[in-house]
Amino acid sequence: MKSIFTIIFVCLAGISFAQTPKDNVVFNSLKNEKDTSLLKKKIDGFSNSNNESEVTSVVQYYIGLLKLAKADSLALVSAKRFPQGKYAFKLALSNLNRQADPIDQEAALEKIRNDFPDKTGTNELDLTNGTIALNFAKHNSTAKALKYLSLTLDRGRFVLPIVNEFLKYDMKAAAELLDRTIVGLKEGARIQSVPIPKNSQLFRFQIIYSGVLLKLGKPEQALAQAKEVYDELKPASAGEVTITYATALAASQQYKRALPFLEEVVSEGKSNDAIDSLLMNVYEKVNVGKDAKRHLDSLRQVLITKKNIETKNKLLNLPCPNFVVTDENGKKVTLADFKGKTIILDFWATWCGPCKASFPAMQMVVNQYLKDPNVKFLFIHTCESSKTPQKDAVEFLKANNFSLPLYMDLKDPATNKSPAISLFDVQGIPTKFIVDGQGQIRFKLTGFEGGMDGAHAAEVSAMIDIAKKTSL
């Protein structure tokens, strides 16, 4: 097992000789020594020195040569030889960070403070306080998390991760922490008489705070936070700020003001099922008796029409391989089983983050074509790393309420490869193929851009519509 110093030195491996202080006499004497026998004597002498800075210079020399194993070994020797020294301190911090239990980390920190009193209040321990605070938050200990966060000077980098943990079990604490942080940032800017930059952490905290306040049933306070950010940033296109502002307006029953913002979000392809439902609800409040679903479809169609124009340039005409996959019941299906139908092959795996992130958008597309017997979807689980791939896939879809037609591309024991995806020469997942009724690949999509469910759904829908026409 590698020691901690190997990890440190890998991070430092890019350090060149030129980046080492020019006044480091020991380092320079090693760097400039041309006689190999003299160099070895110098290295041995400095490595066994009772002066830690000389030993450290040899470690730095090894790092510069990318001899990380030697650097690692000498650093460990130094940690033992100088128990209050640089590497002893780093080793103690490393051991603390390896502790899974925050109580153990707390005890380790107290020992470090006793063993290295000169390090109290330094940036290195400041970071450790924040790390322990986050670990306590992960273990549902709000009071301890806040205690150690308060000891951290650079709190900004830890607030959001801790808030995200609080939201899992203590939403009120998350709201209070965000509120204190926002007030502090504003006060700091006021005292310093400096303008707040457009990419300020403050605005990010306010948008998150607005969402938390909505969940706590405080729409007016949520609206105040979201409006302040929206008025300051005046976003040129729809995004998280617009969505939060529109949601807060709707929650505050300001439906006429909320509607155009929600329409903008849908029209720009930034929506998801929740936003679509909110838009329909708000539309019905503003336009009593009118068909909200038709209005939503009209907004979507504008986007699909736009995507139609864009996607025509991506049109392919390649023969689809005669793949074989199995459905959830173990029945084999092939390309021939879908003759005359437009099919969408979505290769994915439970270990693939972007694959799973694309599913809300794909669920929107599946829902759109539920009543079309000539459009079929195959969500093909492939390249599995688990011993129970089908069980994993079924459980994932069920746990996340996805009704997506599941097929399996199980590995061939002889080749240890998934045969279906191998036929398509896919280099990465998620990858989607839209195949027309004549068995020709018309479109290929690779990857997924998060936060664009509506746009992604519209693009796939446009490709399906074009593929359907080529089948006629």
Side-chain angles (χ1 to χ4, degrees), residues 171-253:
M171 195 170 295
K172 184 179 177 182
E176 290 174 351
L177 176 55
L178 284 167
D179 183 53
R180 288 199 303 273
T181 303
I182 290 167
V183 170
L185 288 171
K186 287 182 177 180
E187 182 64 15
R190 186 190 67 78
I191 292 172
Q192 297 175 46
S193 299
V194 295
I196 299 171
K198 297 297 182 183
N199 63 346
S200 170
Q201 204 175 42
L202 169 64
F203 298 134
R204 176 69 177 148
F205 288 151
Q206 284 186 276
I207 288 300
I208 295 171
Y209 186 32
S210 177
V212 174
L213 288 168
L214 285 173
K215 291 178 181 178
L216 288 172
K218 299 178 178 180
E220 299 300 328
Q221 290 175 254
L223 179 57
Q225 294 291 331
K227 183 178 186 304
E228 187 175 318
V229 177
Y230 187 88
D231 289 346
E232 183 66 34
L233 298 183
K234 296 180 174 59
S237 61
E240 185 181 13
V241 172
T242 304
I243 291 169
T244 304
Y245 184 35
T247 305
L249 283 168
S252 301
Q253 300 183 13

Coordinates of all heavy atoms in Angstrom, one line a residue, residues 171-253:
M171 N -33.7 20.6 7.2 CA -33.9 21.7 6.2 C -33.9 23.1 6.9 O -33.4 24.1 6.4 CB -35.2 21.6 5.5 CG -35.3 22.4 4.2 SD -36.7 22.0 3.2 CE -36.2 20.3 2.7
K172 N -34.4 23.1 8.1 CA -34.4 24.4 8.9 C -32.9 24.9 9.1 O -32.6 26.1 9.0 CB -35.1 24.2 10.2 CG -35.2 25.5 11.0 CD -36.0 25.3 12.3 CE -36.1 26.6 13.1 NZ -36.8 26.4 14.4
A173 N -32.1 24.0 9.5 CA -30.7 24.3 9.7 C -30.0 24.8 8.4 O -29.2 25.7 8.5 CB -29.9 23.1 10.3
A174 N -30.4 24.2 7.3 CA -29.8 24.6 6.0 C -30.2 26.0 5.7 O -29.4 26.9 5.3 CB -30.3 23.7 4.9
A175 N -31.5 26.3 6.0 CA -32.0 27.7 5.7 C -31.3 28.7 6.6 O -30.9 29.8 6.2 CB -33.5 27.7 6.0
E176 N -31.2 28.4 7.9 CA -30.5 29.3 8.8 C -29.1 29.6 8.5 O -28.6 30.7 8.5 CB -30.6 28.8 10.3 CG -32.0 28.8 10.8 CD -32.1 28.1 12.2 OE1 -31.2 27.5 12.6 OE2 -33.2 28.2 12.8
L177 N -28.4 28.5 8.0 CA -27.0 28.7 7.6 C -26.9 29.6 6.4 O -26.0 30.4 6.3 CB -26.3 27.3 7.4 CG -24.9 27.3 6.9 CD1 -24.0 28.1 7.8 CD2 -24.4 25.9 6.7
L178 N -27.7 29.3 5.4 CA -27.7 30.1 4.2 C -28.0 31.6 4.5 O -27.4 32.5 4.0 CB -28.8 29.6 3.2 CG -28.3 28.3 2.5 CD1 -29.5 27.7 1.8 CD2 -27.2 28.6 1.5
D179 N -29.0 31.8 5.4 CA -29.4 33.2 5.8 C -28.2 33.9 6.4 O -27.9 35.0 6.0 CB -30.6 33.1 6.7 CG -31.1 34.5 7.1 OD1 -31.4 35.3 6.2 OD2 -31.2 34.8 8.3
R180 N -27.6 33.3 7.4 CA -26.4 33.9 8.1 C -25.3 34.2 7.1 O -24.6 35.2 7.1 CB -25.9 33.0 9.2 CG -26.8 32.9 10.4 CD -26.0 32.4 11.6 NE -25.4 31.1 11.4 CZ -26.0 30.0 11.6 NH1 -27.3 30.0 12.0 NH2 -25.4 28.8 11.4
T181 N -25.1 33.3 6.2 CA -24.0 33.4 5.2 C -24.3 34.6 4.2 O -23.4 35.4 3.9 CB -23.8 32.1 4.4 OG1 -23.5 31.0 5.3 CG2 -22.7 32.3 3.4
I182 N -25.5 34.7 3.8 CA -25.9 35.7 2.9 C -25.8 37.1 3.5 O -25.3 38.1 3.0 CB -27.4 35.5 2.4 CG1 -27.4 34.3 1.4 CG2 -27.9 36.7 1.6 CD1 -28.8 33.7 1.1
V183 N -26.3 37.2 4.8 CA -26.2 38.4 5.5 C -24.7 38.8 5.7 O -24.4 40.0 5.5 CB -26.9 38.3 6.9 CG1 -26.6 39.5 7.8 CG2 -28.4 38.2 6.7
G184 N -23.9 37.9 6.0 CA -22.5 38.2 6.2 C -21.8 38.6 4.9 O -21.0 39.6 5.0
L185 N -22.1 38.0 3.8 CA -21.5 38.4 2.5 C -22.0 39.9 2.2 O -21.2 40.7 1.7 CB -21.9 37.5 1.4 CG -21.2 36.1 1.5 CD1 -21.9 35.1 0.5 CD2 -19.7 36.2 1.2
K186 N -23.2 40.1 2.4 CA -23.7 41.5 2.1 C -23.1 42.5 3.0 O -22.7 43.6 2.5 CB -25.3 41.5 2.2 CG -26.0 40.8 1.1 CD -27.5 41.0 1.4 CE -28.3 40.3 0.2 NZ -29.8 40.5 0.5
E187 N -23.0 42.2 4.2 CA -22.4 43.1 5.2 C -20.9 43.4 4.9 O -20.4 44.5 4.9 CB -22.5 42.6 6.6 CG -22.0 43.5 7.7 CD -22.8 44.8 7.8 OE1 -23.9 44.9 7.3 OE2 -22.3 45.7 8.5
G188 N -20.2 42.3 4.5 CA -18.8 42.5 4.1 C -18.6 43.4 2.9 O -17.7 44.2 2.9
A189 N -19.5 43.2 1.9 CA -19.4 44.1 0.7 C -19.8 45.5 1.1 O -19.2 46.5 0.6 CB -20.4 43.6 -0.3
R190 N -20.7 45.7 2.0 CA -21.1 47.1 2.4 C -20.0 47.8 3.1 O -19.6 48.9 2.9 CB -22.4 47.0 3.3 CG -22.9 48.4 3.7 CD -24.0 48.3 4.8 NE -23.4 47.9 6.0 CZ -22.7 48.7 6.9 NH1 -22.5 49.9 6.5 NH2 -22.2 48.2 8.0
I191 N -19.3 47.0 4.1 CA -18.2 47.6 4.8 C -17.1 48.0 3.9 O -16.4 49.1 4.1 CB -17.8 46.6 5.9 CG1 -18.9 46.5 7.0 CG2 -16.5 47.1 6.6 CD1 -18.6 45.4 8.0
Q192 N -16.8 47.1 2.9 CA -15.7 47.4 2.0 C -16.0 48.3 0.9 O -15.2 48.8 0.2 CB -15.2 46.1 1.5 CG -14.6 45.1 2.5 CD -14.3 43.8 1.9 OE1 -13.6 43.7 0.9 NE2 -14.7 42.7 2.6
S193 N -17.3 48.6 0.8 CA -17.8 49.5 -0.3 C -17.4 49.1 -1.7 O -16.9 49.8 -2.5 CB -17.3 51.0 0.0 OG -17.8 51.5 1.2
V194 N -17.6 47.7 -1.9 CA -17.2 47.2 -3.2 C -18.4 46.6 -3.8 O -19.3 46.1 -3.2 CB -16.1 46.1 -3.0 CG1 -14.8 46.6 -2.5 CG2 -16.6 44.9 -2.1
P195 N -18.5 46.7 -5.2 CA -19.6 46.1 -5.9 C -19.5 44.6 -5.9 O -18.5 44.0 -5.8 CB -19.5 46.6 -7.3 CG -18.0 46.9 -7.4 CD -17.6 47.4 -6.1
I196 N -20.7 43.9 -5.9 CA -20.7 42.5 -5.9 C -20.6 42.0 -7.3 O -21.4 42.4 -8.2 CB -22.0 41.9 -5.2 CG1 -22.1 42.4 -3.8 CG2 -22.1 40.4 -5.3 CD1 -23.4 42.1 -3.1
P197 N -19.6 41.1 -7.7 CA -19.5 40.7 -9.1 C -20.7 39.8 -9.5 O -21.3 39.2 -8.7 CB -18.2 39.9 -9.0 CG -18.0 39.5 -7.6 CD -18.6 40.6 -6.8
K198 N -20.9 39.8 -10.8 CA -22.0 39.1 -11.4 C -22.0 37.6 -11.1 O -23.0 36.9 -11.0 CB -22.2 39.3 -12.9 CG -22.4 40.8 -13.2 CD -23.7 41.3 -12.7 CE -24.0 42.7 -13.1 NZ -25.3 43.2 -12.6
N199 N -20.8 37.0 -11.0 CA -20.6 35.6 -10.7 C -20.4 35.3 -9.2 O -19.9 34.3 -8.8 CB -19.5 35.0 -11.5 CG -18.1 35.7 -11.1 OD1 -18.1 36.7 -10.4 ND2 -17.0 35.1 -11.5
S200 N -20.9 36.3 -8.4 CA -20.7 36.2 -6.9 C -21.3 34.9 -6.3 O -22.4 34.5 -6.7 CB -21.3 37.4 -6.3 OG -21.3 37.2 -4.9
Q201 N -20.6 34.4 -5.3 CA -21.1 33.3 -4.6 C -22.4 33.7 -3.9 O -23.3 32.8 -3.6 CB -20.1 32.9 -3.5 CG -20.1 31.5 -3.0 CD -19.0 31.1 -2.1 OE1 -18.6 32.0 -1.3 NE2 -18.4 30.0 -2.2
L202 N -22.5 34.9 -3.6 CA -23.7 35.4 -2.9 C -25.0 35.1 -3.6 O -26.0 34.6 -3.1 CB -23.6 37.0 -2.7 CG -24.9 37.7 -2.2 CD1 -25.3 37.2 -0.8 CD2 -24.8 39.2 -2.3
F203 N -25.0 35.3 -5.0 CA -26.2 35.1 -5.8 C -26.5 33.6 -5.8 O -27.7 33.2 -5.8 CB -26.0 35.6 -7.2 CG -25.8 37.1 -7.2 CD1 -24.9 37.7 -7.9 CD2 -26.6 38.0 -6.4 CE1 -24.7 39.1 -8.0 CE2 -26.5 39.3 -6.4 CZ -25.5 39.9 -7.2
R204 N -25.5 32.8 -5.9 CA -25.7 31.3 -5.9 C -26.4 30.9 -4.6 O -27.3 30.1 -4.6 CB -24.3 30.6 -6.0 CG -24.4 29.1 -5.9 CD -25.1 28.5 -7.1 NE -25.1 27.0 -7.1 CZ -26.1 26.3 -7.6 NH1 -27.1 26.9 -8.2 NH2 -26.0 25.0 -7.5
F205 N -25.9 31.4 -3.4 CA -26.5 31.1 -2.2 C -27.9 31.6 -2.1 O -28.8 30.9 -1.6 CB -25.7 31.7 -1.0 CG -24.4 31.1 -0.8 CD1 -23.3 31.8 -0.2 CD2 -24.1 29.7 -1.0 CE1 -22.1 31.2 0.0 CE2 -22.9 29.1 -0.8 CZ -21.9 29.9 -0.3
Q206 N -28.2 32.7 -2.6 CA -29.6 33.3 -2.6 C -30.6 32.4 -3.4 O -31.7 32.2 -2.9 CB -29.6 34.7 -3.1 CG -29.0 35.7 -2.1 CD -29.2 37.2 -2.6 OE1 -28.4 37.6 -3.4 NE2 -30.2 37.8 -2.2
I207 N -30.1 31.9 -4.5 CA -31.0 31.1 -5.3 C -31.3 29.8 -4.6 O -32.5 29.3 -4.6 CB -30.4 30.9 -6.7 CG1 -30.5 32.1 -7.6 CG2 -31.1 29.7 -7.5 CD1 -31.9 32.7 -7.8
I208 N -30.3 29.2 -4.0 CA -30.5 28.0 -3.3 C -31.4 28.2 -2.1 O -32.3 27.4 -1.8 CB -29.1 27.4 -2.8 CG1 -28.3 27.0 -4.1 CG2 -29.3 26.2 -1.9 CD1 -26.9 26.6 -3.7
Y209 N -31.2 29.3 -1.4 CA -32.0 29.7 -0.2 C -33.4 29.9 -0.6 O -34.3 29.5 0.1 CB -31.4 31.0 0.4 CG -32.0 31.5 1.7 CD1 -32.5 30.6 2.6 CD2 -32.1 32.8 2.0 CE1 -33.1 31.0 3.8 CE2 -32.6 33.3 3.2 CZ -33.1 32.3 4.1 OH -33.7 32.7 5.3
S210 N -33.6 30.5 -1.8 CA -35.0 30.7 -2.3 C -35.7 29.3 -2.4 O -36.9 29.2 -2.0 CB -35.0 31.4 -3.6 OG -36.3 31.6 -4.1
G211 N -35.0 28.4 -3.0 CA -35.6 27.0 -3.2 C -35.9 26.4 -1.8 O -36.9 25.7 -1.7
V212 N -35.0 26.6 -0.9 CA -35.2 26.0 0.5 C -36.4 26.6 1.1 O -37.2 25.9 1.8 CB -33.9 26.1 1.3 CG1 -34.2 25.7 2.8 CG2 -32.8 25.4 0.8
L213 N -36.5 27.9 1.0 CA -37.7 28.6 1.6 C -39.0 28.2 1.0 O -40.0 28.1 1.7 CB -37.5 30.2 1.4 CG -36.4 30.8 2.3 CD1 -36.1 32.2 1.8 CD2 -36.8 30.8 3.8
L214 N -39.0 27.9 -0.3 CA -40.2 27.4 -0.9 C -40.6 26.0 -0.3 O -41.8 25.8 0.0 CB -40.0 27.2 -2.4 CG -40.0 28.5 -3.2 CD1 -39.6 28.2 -4.7 CD2 -41.4 29.1 -3.2
K215 N -39.6 25.2 -0.1 CA -39.9 23.9 0.5 C -40.3 24.0 2.0 O -41.1 23.2 2.5 CB -38.6 23.0 0.5 CG -38.2 22.6 -0.9 CD -37.0 21.7 -0.9 CE -36.6 21.3 -2.3 NZ -35.3 20.6 -2.4
L216 N -39.9 25.1 2.6 CA -40.4 25.3 4.0 C -41.7 26.0 4.1 O -42.2 26.4 5.2 CB -39.3 26.1 4.8 CG -38.0 25.4 5.1 CD1 -37.0 26.4 5.7 CD2 -38.2 24.3 6.1
G217 N -42.3 26.3 2.9 CA -43.6 26.9 2.9 C -43.6 28.4 3.2 O -44.5 29.0 3.8
K218 N -42.5 29.1 2.7 CA -42.3 30.5 2.9 C -42.1 31.2 1.5 O -41.0 31.7 1.2 CB -41.1 30.8 3.8 CG -41.3 30.2 5.2 CD -40.0 30.5 6.1 CE -40.2 29.9 7.5 NZ -39.0 30.1 8.3
P219 N -43.2 31.2 0.7 CA -43.1 31.7 -0.7 C -42.7 33.2 -0.8 O -42.0 33.6 -1.7 CB -44.5 31.5 -1.2 CG -45.4 31.4 -0.1 CD -44.6 30.8 1.0
E220 N -43.2 34.1 0.1 CA -42.9 35.5 0.0 C -41.4 35.8 0.3 O -40.8 36.6 -0.4 CB -43.8 36.3 1.0 CG -45.3 36.2 0.8 CD -45.7 36.7 -0.6 OE1 -45.0 37.6 -1.1 OE2 -46.6 36.1 -1.2
Q221 N -40.9 35.1 1.3 CA -39.4 35.2 1.6 C -38.6 34.6 0.4 O -37.6 35.2 0.0 CB -39.1 34.5 2.9 CG -39.6 35.2 4.1 CD -39.3 34.4 5.4 OE1 -40.2 33.8 5.9 NE2 -38.1 34.4 5.8
A222 N -39.1 33.5 -0.1 CA -38.4 32.9 -1.3 C -38.4 33.9 -2.5 O -37.4 34.0 -3.2 CB -39.1 31.6 -1.6
L223 N -39.5 34.5 -2.7 CA -39.6 35.5 -3.8 C -38.7 36.6 -3.6 O -38.1 37.1 -4.6 CB -41.1 35.9 -4.0 CG -41.4 36.9 -5.1 CD1 -40.9 36.4 -6.4 CD2 -42.8 37.3 -5.1
A224 N -38.6 37.1 -2.4 CA -37.7 38.3 -2.2 C -36.3 37.9 -2.5 O -35.6 38.8 -3.2 CB -37.8 38.7 -0.7
Q225 N -35.8 36.8 -2.2 CA -34.4 36.3 -2.5 C -34.2 36.2 -4.0 O -33.3 36.7 -4.6 CB -34.1 35.0 -1.8 CG -34.0 35.1 -0.3 CD -32.8 35.9 0.2 OE1 -31.8 36.0 -0.4 NE2 -33.0 36.5 1.4
A226 N -35.2 35.5 -4.7 CA -35.1 35.2 -6.1 C -35.2 36.5 -6.9 O -34.4 36.7 -7.9 CB -36.2 34.2 -6.5
K227 N -36.1 37.4 -6.5 CA -36.3 38.7 -7.2 C -35.0 39.5 -7.2 O -34.6 40.2 -8.2 CB -37.4 39.4 -6.7 CG -37.7 40.7 -7.5 CD -39.0 41.5 -6.9 CE -39.3 42.7 -7.8 NZ -38.3 43.6 -7.9
E228 N -34.4 39.5 -6.0 CA -33.2 40.3 -5.8 C -32.1 39.9 -6.8 O -31.4 40.7 -7.4 CB -32.7 40.2 -4.4 CG -31.5 41.1 -4.1 CD -31.2 41.1 -2.6 OE1 -32.1 41.1 -1.7 OE2 -29.9 41.1 -2.3
V229 N -31.9 38.6 -6.9 CA -30.9 38.0 -7.8 C -31.3 38.3 -9.3 O -30.5 38.7 -10.1 CB -30.7 36.5 -7.6 CG1 -29.7 36.0 -8.6 CG2 -30.3 36.3 -6.2
Y230 N -32.6 38.1 -9.6 CA -33.0 38.2 -11.0 C -32.9 39.7 -11.4 O -32.4 40.0 -12.5 CB -34.5 37.8 -11.2 CG -34.9 37.8 -12.6 CD1 -34.8 36.7 -13.4 CD2 -35.5 39.0 -13.2 CE1 -35.2 36.8 -14.8 CE2 -35.9 39.0 -14.5 CZ -35.7 37.9 -15.3 OH -36.1 37.9 -16.6
D231 N -33.3 40.6 -10.6 CA -33.2 42.1 -10.9 C -31.7 42.5 -11.0 O -31.4 43.4 -11.9 CB -33.8 42.9 -9.8 CG -35.3 42.8 -9.8 OD1 -35.9 42.3 -10.8 OD2 -36.0 43.2 -8.8
E232 N -30.8 41.8 -10.3 CA -29.4 42.2 -10.4 C -28.7 41.6 -11.6 O -27.9 42.3 -12.3 CB -28.7 41.7 -9.1 CG -27.2 42.1 -9.0 CD -27.0 43.6 -8.8 OE1 -27.8 44.2 -8.2 OE2 -26.0 44.1 -9.4
L233 N -29.0 40.4 -11.9 CA -28.3 39.7 -13.0 C -29.0 39.9 -14.4 O -28.3 39.9 -15.4 CB -28.3 38.2 -12.7 CG -27.5 37.8 -11.5 CD1 -27.4 36.3 -11.4 CD2 -26.1 38.4 -11.5
K234 N -30.3 40.1 -14.4 CA -31.1 40.3 -15.6 C -30.6 39.3 -16.7 O -30.1 39.7 -17.7 CB -31.0 41.7 -16.1 CG -31.6 42.7 -15.2 CD -31.5 44.1 -15.7 CE -32.2 45.1 -14.9 NZ -31.8 45.1 -13.4
P235 N -30.8 38.0 -16.4 CA -30.2 37.0 -17.4 C -30.8 37.1 -18.8 O -32.0 37.3 -19.0 CB -30.7 35.6 -16.7 CG -31.8 36.0 -15.8 CD -31.5 37.4 -15.3
A236 N -29.9 37.0 -19.7 CA -30.3 37.1 -21.1 C -31.1 35.9 -21.6 O -31.8 36.0 -22.6 CB -29.1 37.3 -22.0
S237 N -30.9 34.7 -21.0 CA -31.6 33.5 -21.4 C -32.1 32.8 -20.1 O -31.6 33.1 -19.0 CB -30.7 32.6 -22.2 OG -29.6 32.2 -21.5
A238 N -33.0 31.9 -20.3 CA -33.6 31.2 -19.2 C -32.6 30.3 -18.6 O -31.7 29.7 -19.3 CB -34.8 30.4 -19.6
G239 N -32.7 30.2 -17.3 CA -31.7 29.3 -16.6 C -32.2 29.1 -15.1 O -33.4 29.4 -14.8
E240 N -31.3 28.7 -14.2 CA -31.7 28.4 -12.9 C -32.3 29.6 -12.2 O -33.3 29.5 -11.4 CB -30.5 27.9 -12.1 CG -30.9 27.5 -10.7 CD -29.7 27.0 -9.9 OE1 -28.6 27.2 -10.3 OE2 -29.9 26.4 -8.8
V241 N -31.8 30.8 -12.5 CA -32.3 32.0 -11.8 C -33.7 32.3 -12.3 O -34.6 32.6 -11.5 CB -31.4 33.2 -12.2 CG1 -32.0 34.5 -11.7 CG2 -30.0 33.1 -11.5
T242 N -34.0 32.2 -13.6 CA -35.3 32.4 -14.1 C -36.3 31.4 -13.6 O -37.4 31.7 -13.2 CB -35.3 32.4 -15.6 OG1 -34.3 33.3 -16.1 CG2 -36.7 32.7 -16.2
I243 N -35.9 30.1 -13.5 CA -36.7 29.1 -13.1 C -37.1 29.3 -11.6 O -38.3 29.2 -11.2 CB -36.0 27.7 -13.2 CG1 -35.9 27.4 -14.7 CG2 -36.8 26.6 -12.5 CD1 -35.1 26.2 -15.0
T244 N -36.1 29.6 -10.8 CA -36.4 29.8 -9.3 C -37.3 31.0 -9.1 O -38.2 31.0 -8.3 CB -35.1 30.0 -8.6 OG1 -34.2 28.9 -8.8 CG2 -35.3 30.2 -7.1
Y245 N -37.1 32.1 -9.9 CA -37.9 33.3 -9.8 C -39.3 33.0 -10.2 O -40.3 33.4 -9.5 CB -37.3 34.4 -10.7 CG -38.0 35.8 -10.6 CD1 -38.5 36.2 -9.4 CD2 -38.1 36.6 -11.7 CE1 -39.1 37.4 -9.3 CE2 -38.7 37.8 -11.7 CZ -39.2 38.2 -10.5 OH -39.8 39.5 -10.4
A246 N -39.5 32.3 -11.3 CA -40.8 32.0 -11.8 C -41.5 31.1 -10.8 O -42.8 31.2 -10.5 CB -40.7 31.3 -13.2
T247 N -40.8 30.1 -10.2 CA -41.4 29.2 -9.3 C -41.9 29.9 -8.0 O -43.0 29.7 -7.5 CB -40.4 28.1 -8.9 OG1 -40.0 27.4 -10.1 CG2 -41.1 27.1 -8.0
A248 N -41.1 30.9 -7.6 CA -41.4 31.7 -6.4 C -42.6 32.6 -6.7 O -43.5 32.8 -5.8 CB -40.2 32.5 -5.9
L249 N -42.7 33.1 -7.9 CA -43.8 34.0 -8.3 C -45.1 33.1 -8.2 O -46.1 33.6 -7.7 CB -43.6 34.5 -9.7 CG -42.7 35.7 -9.8 CD1 -42.3 36.0 -11.3 CD2 -43.3 37.0 -9.2
A250 N -45.0 31.9 -8.8 CA -46.2 31.0 -8.8 C -46.6 30.7 -7.4 O -47.8 30.6 -7.1 CB -45.9 29.8 -9.7
A251 N -45.6 30.3 -6.6 CA -45.9 30.0 -5.2 C -46.6 31.1 -4.4 O -47.3 30.9 -3.5 CB -44.7 29.5 -4.5
S252 N -46.2 32.3 -4.8 CA -46.8 33.5 -4.2 C -48.1 34.0 -4.9 O -48.6 35.1 -4.6 CB -45.8 34.7 -4.2 OG -44.6 34.3 -3.6
Q253 N -48.6 33.1 -5.7 CA -49.9 33.3 -6.5 C -49.9 34.5 -7.4 O -50.9 35.1 -7.7 CB -51.1 33.4 -5.5 CG -51.2 32.2 -4.6 CD -52.4 32.3 -3.7 OE1 -53.3 33.1 -3.8 NE2 -52.5 31.4 -2.7

